[in-house]
Amino acid sequence: MLSMFLESLGMALCLAGSLLVMVACGLPMWKVTAFIDSNIVVAQTIWDGLWMSCVVQSTGQMQCKIHDSMLSLSQDLQTARALTVIAAVFGVLALAVTLAGAQCTNCIQEEALKGRIVLTGGVLYIFSGLFVLVPLCWMANNIIVDFHNPQIPPSKKREIGAAIYIGWASAALLLMGGGLLCCSFSQGARGGYPIKYTPTKSITSNGDKKHYV
């Protein structure tokens, strides 16, 4: 059935997207040191994340420090921390809602109600993707603007880290998966179009009768 295929594919994409949101939220590689000096040999690399900052030495040793205060962070980091956590919570909530209304479960018997619940889960997944997409684009824009700003010294300039790319991938998966879950609610996917029958003529008892001898 088409609706079951759309639900399964949408849930798989959304589950992968939610896991990537949590990975991107925990990784410290949101802002990475930009190597733009003439000197090729770099002693250390600095990673700035939502929860900690790490310094990676050229020998491979890494030291991380958790941010002491949230208010001391820049505005984009504060917003990214809040919205990514909200996106992760929405992903978990949407998973529970979608499983309750999925066709592969028996939590709810009524098909119409199950379809509405799956639609609600798809909408929640779309909101989760939007919540994680907004801080990613904002932070990436700030990194690019600061990189091309001549007033900022080269040692303070940063590049887009791997966590932002992972976050973009998670947002794409959440939006596509949520869209598929919403499409599975349509009557065309569920085969809910009513079948129309042509009315039949009733045989009356007053009609002509043939007598046989």
Side-chain angles (χ1 to χ4, degrees):
M1 194 174 182
L2 180 59
S3 61
M4 185 175 294
F5 173 75
L6 292 177
E7 282 185 9
S8 301
L9 182 59
M11 288 180 62
L13 293 177
C14 290
L15 182 60
S18 297
L19 293 176
L20 289 180
V21 168
M22 298 177 186
V23 171
C25 183
L27 286 177
M29 293 176 289
W30 284 68
K31 297 179 181 180
V32 183
T33 304
F35 302 111
I36 56 178
D37 293 334
S38 58
N39 187 11
I40 300 177
V41 179
V42 180
Q44 62 185 14
T45 303
I46 301 175
W47 296 344
D48 293 328
L50 302 181
W51 311 97
M52 64 183 69
S53 296
C54 297
V55 177
V56 182
Q57 305 293 335
S58 58
T59 58
Q61 296 179 350
M62 182 174 62
Q63 296 179 347
C64 296
K65 179 183 178 183
I66 300 176
H67 296 308
D68 297 331
S69 175
M70 180 179 178
L71 299 178
S72 62
L73 299 176
S74 58
Q75 191 174 6
D76 55 353
L77 283 176
Q78 294 181 18
T79 305
R81 178 186 287 191
L83 291 182
T84 49
V85 171
I86 293 175
V89 173
F90 265 62
V92 175
L93 179 61
L95 178 61
V97 172
T98 307
L99 287 177
Q103 298 186 31
C104 58
T105 60
N106 296 324
C107 298
I108 300 173
Q109 300 297 331
E110 186 179 353
E111 291 295 330
L113 182 59
K114 293 178 70 172
R116 296 189 187 95
I117 292 177
V118 171
L119 176 62
T120 303
V123 173
L124 290 176
Y125 273 124
I126 292 176
F127 276 111
S128 177
L130 294 176
F131 276 131
V132 74
L133 185 62
V134 170
L136 291 171
C137 295
W138 185 14
M139 187 172 295
N141 179 71
N142 291 342
I143 292 173
I144 295 173
V145 171
D146 293 341
F147 185 86
H148 295 288
N149 189 357
Q151 298 180 356
I152 298 178
S155 60
K156 296 294 183 65
K157 293 184 178 181
R158 297 290 185 266
E159 290 183 352
I160 298 175
I164 294 182
Y165 292 105
I166 295 175
W168 279 332
S170 66
L173 291 175
L174 288 171
L175 293 176
M176 289 189 297
L180 290 177
L181 290 176
C182 293
C183 291
S184 67
F185 176 71
S186 62
Q187 290 184 348
R190 291 184 174 267
Y193 291 108
I195 301 175
K196 296 182 179 180
Y197 297 95
T198 57
T200 58
K201 296 181 179 180
S202 60
I203 301 175
T204 59
S205 59
N206 297 327
D208 297 334
K209 298 181 180 179
K210 294 182 178 180
H211 299 279
Y212 297 93
V213 177

